Amino acid sequence: MEAPFTSTTWDGISGPIYAGYGSVEGLWIAASLALVVVAIVFGWRHEQHAYKALKK
């Protein structure tokens, strides 16, 4: 992971530092989004099955 500054010490570094600088952040966001969609689909299928079983 690359740092957004060239200093070799923490002296003089102030303010917020973005930890995701230079990483494959887009890949992790896409993977997280895919997992959320999978969780919603499987939850919807489970609820549909549970409601059908309740009606019987």
Side-chain angles (χ1 to χ4, degrees):
M1 183 163 77
E2 299 175 17
F5 46 83
T6 58
S7 178
T8 57
T9 67
W10 286 105
D11 296 335
I13 306 297
S14 64
I17 298 172
Y18 180 56
Y21 181 83
S23 65
V24 289
E25 179 180 357
L27 175 66
W28 292 112
I29 291 173
S32 298
L33 182 61
L35 287 174
V36 167
V37 170
V38 167
I40 289 171
V41 168
F42 278 106
W44 169 70
R45 288 180 60 199
H46 170 72
E47 288 297 317
Q48 186 180 29
H49 176 73
Y51 285 134
K52 284 181 181 179
L54 187 63
K55 286 185 179 182
K56 287 184 180 182

